[in-house]
Amino acid sequence: MTDVMFLIFRTFFLTIVTLGMMASLTEFRFGCKKLLGILAVYSVWVVFISGIMLYVGGELLLLRLFFPVISVPAIILTYWAANDTPSQAVFNYITQILVSVLVASLIRMLTESIGLSGFVNVLLMCIVYFAAIYLEWRFLRRPFRLLIKVLPGRWGVLTLIPCVFCAYFIFVAAWPGSYLENDTQRAYLYAAILPLVIVYLAVFKILLAQYHMQMERQSAALLTVQISTLKEKLQRVKEVAEDVRIQRHDLRHQLQAVAELVVRGEREAALEFLGAARERLDEQVEVRWCRPPVLDAVFSSYFDQARRQNIPVEATIALPDELPVDEGEMAVVLANALENAIHANLALPPERRQICCRAMGTPSLMLEISNPCAGDVTFNEQGLPVAENPSHGLGVRSIAAFCKKHGAVCQFELAGGTFSLRLVL
């Protein structure tokens, strides 16, 4: 009876820590309370069914039926609570089960071969499994989540890898008898570990290469579109500047005409002529926000766009002639941030709209753009705002890529109904 209770506890423990490994790479759509409720119901099932199998057929029956009656329900429940596609979920969950089976069998073989107690076996499993959960959460979660977002359609064939290996390990471990009692089965079982590691390393290397290629293409396409837009807006600003220069050139002729009117004693006509000329100059006055021309074009273009849509702009710009980063890259960051601020304001009534922009170059390059926000904003694990529409959010990703490339500190914040972006380089 004591052995049965220990095996039930061991089965329950292995199941829970395997679920922990699954969860370390999974993004759930339920809250903690609902997840804990699902876990409690599933735990009761694990204890009940493992007890029945041990009573009916012993440990060999449990070994043979562990996957269909315990692992499969775990996969279904985890997939139901997660945001992953079926192929992504199967690849993640079966891989975790595969790793768990191998770790548990190695620890058990080690402890039994040197005559250690069951308590030591569980203690070693605690150490190894909790370390594995932490390491997966700390180092694998972010790249894995990025991979499945950037490459959503590449996982169908990949699911065959863990499924085939898992089926092989379960069959070899349980047929014709338990691998614990047959040296040949153990040899066949552990001989597959090396090809398993090689295959997974090759798969992740290929996925990582595809990820980098996809990100480079996306960044290149995004930068091409944005730089093209910036060039068009810079050309419009240059056209306005050219009009102002023409007006200044014509001023010589206008002054000559005024002088002639004064000589004739036509004072009122001279004043009217000067007033009209001044109004024309005021309409085409050249506003310079900073000396770097591309950044000045961005500020001018987006501030004008905001004012045309009844969005007041409060700006304090004090940037040096030379920047610590490429001016074109910084212009893309500004364009993305200001465009997002304008879009956010358009969802508000006119009386609540406003954009505040502050930029300075000393003691370091600092940028702050804030605007009122209509609703709540969801942030991911990296503190980046998450777009509701999957096709949106390129601007935020572009800003994050810029910060990562140049080692800048970037903070997105929603406080008191105001959304703020702060960047320090």
Side-chain angles (χ1 to χ4, degrees):
M1 186 65 183
T2 303
D3 290 340
V4 172
M5 294 301 295
F6 175 76
L7 289 174
I8 292 175
F9 171 77
R10 187 173 179 274
T11 303
F12 170 76
F13 176 80
L14 283 173
T15 305
I16 297 303
V17 291
T18 304
L19 281 174
M21 293 170 65
M22 293 181 185
S24 66
L25 302 183
T26 302
E27 191 176 86
F28 291 100
R29 57 191 178 94
F30 295 149
C32 290
K33 291 184 178 179
K34 192 167 186 177
L35 290 176
L36 289 174
I38 295 172
L39 180 60
V41 173
Y42 176 67
S43 298
V44 173
W45 164 255
V46 170
V47 173
F48 171 76
I49 197 65
S50 59
I52 294 295
M53 287 189 293
L54 287 169
Y55 177 78
V56 173
E59 190 175 3
L60 181 60
L61 180 63
L62 177 63
L63 186 63
R64 289 177 174 177
L65 298 181
F66 185 89
F67 184 81
V69 300
I70 294 180
S71 296
V72 170
I75 294 172
I76 295 172
L77 288 174
T78 309
Y79 171 69
W80 174 53
N83 287 320
D84 299 330
T85 65
S87 57
Q88 294 166 355
V90 169
F91 181 84
N92 177 17
Y93 307 155
I94 300 295
T95 298
Q96 301 290 7
I97 292 171
L98 186 60
V99 173
S100 179
V101 167
L102 286 174
V103 170
S105 64
L106 287 171
I107 292 176
R108 181 165 182 179
M109 186 183 70
L110 175 65
T111 55
E112 291 187 356
S113 62
I114 58 179
L116 298 177
S117 65
F119 173 78
V120 175
N121 177 275
V122 174
L123 182 61
L124 285 175
M125 287 196 299
C126 283
I127 296 172
V128 174
Y129 276 96
F130 286 121
I133 292 171
Y134 170 77
L135 291 174
E136 288 189 2
W137 174 273
R138 180 70 177 81
F139 298 105
L140 291 182
R141 179 178 177 84
R142 183 180 179 185
F144 181 75
R145 301 308 307 178
L146 286 174
L147 277 174
I148 64 176
K149 287 179 181 178
V150 175
L151 304 171
R154 305 295 181 104
W155 300 88
V157 176
L158 294 180
T159 58
L160 294 175
I161 296 172
C163 289
V164 169
F165 273 102
C166 194
Y168 172 82
F169 281 124
I170 292 173
F171 179 80
V172 172
W175 302 92
S178 173
Y179 73 101
L180 296 171
E181 302 171 356
N182 190 311
D183 293 337
T184 303
Q185 284 180 250
R186 281 201 298 271
Y188 282 124
L189 183 70
Y190 297 127
I193 294 179
L194 181 60
L196 172 67
V197 172
I198 293 173
V199 168
Y200 266 87
L201 287 176
V203 167
F204 278 107
K205 185 177 180 180
I206 293 171
L207 287 175
L208 199 58
Q210 290 181 340
Y211 165 74
H212 287 307
M213 289 176 58
Q214 184 74 12
M215 291 302 292
E216 287 174 2
R217 289 174 185 171
Q218 181 176 310
S219 299
L222 180 64
L223 287 174
T224 300
V225 172
Q226 292 173 331
I227 290 174
S228 176
T229 303
L230 289 175
K231 287 180 178 178
E232 293 176 1
K233 292 171 181 175
L234 180 59
Q235 182 61 35
R236 288 198 293 270
V237 173
K238 288 180 177 179
E239 291 172 358
V240 173
E242 182 64 24
D243 290 341
V244 172
R245 283 193 288 271
I246 292 172
Q247 289 289 343
R248 288 174 176 171
H249 174 75
D250 292 343
L251 182 60
R252 176 168 54 87
H253 304 292
Q254 294 167 352
L255 289 175
Q256 185 176 350
V258 171
E260 183 66 25
L261 290 172
V262 171
V263 169
R264 293 179 182 180
E266 299 179 11
R267 182 180 177 185
E268 294 296 329
L271 292 175
E272 289 179 5
F273 185 85
L274 287 174
R278 185 182 64 184
E279 288 179 1
R280 287 195 297 272
L281 284 175
D282 289 342
E283 289 175 357
Q284 301 183 23
V285 64
E286 182 180 12
V287 179
R288 294 295 300 271
W289 294 100
C290 60
R291 285 189 177 276
V294 178
L295 295 187
D296 181 59
V298 172
F299 284 125
S300 299
S301 176
Y302 281 95
F303 289 168
D304 290 343
Q305 181 181 340
R307 292 190 180 103
R308 287 196 301 269
Q309 300 188 71
N310 299 318
I311 304 174
V313 176
E314 177 187 333
T316 304
I317 314 295
L319 293 175
D321 295 350
E322 295 185 2
L323 300 173
V325 294
D326 180 74
E327 184 181 350
E329 292 185 67
M330 189 66 199
V332 171
V333 171
L334 280 171
N336 281 316
L338 291 172
E339 184 177 48
N340 290 342
I342 290 173
H343 287 165
N345 272 279
L346 294 178
L348 298 168
E351 63 272 11
R352 288 189 57 196
R353 298 177 182 178
Q354 186 179 29
I355 293 177
C356 296
C357 179
R358 296 177 179 84
M360 61 181 64
T362 55
S364 59
L365 182 61
M366 291 178 283
L367 171 68
E368 180 181 23
I369 297 176
S370 60
N371 56 269
C373 187
D376 197 12
V377 177
T378 303
F379 296 89
N380 64 13
E381 297 169 354
Q382 290 77 45
L384 302 178
V386 178
E388 295 181 359
N389 190 328
S391 62
H392 296 168
L394 290 177
V396 171
R397 293 202 291 272
S398 176
I399 295 172
F402 170 87
C403 294
K404 182 178 181 180
K405 177 180 178 181
H406 296 285
V409 177
C410 182
Q411 179 188 25
F412 295 90
E413 182 183 34
L414 178 63
T418 299
F419 181 85
S420 302
L421 160 65
R422 298 182 185 89
L423 188 149
V424 180
L425 181 62

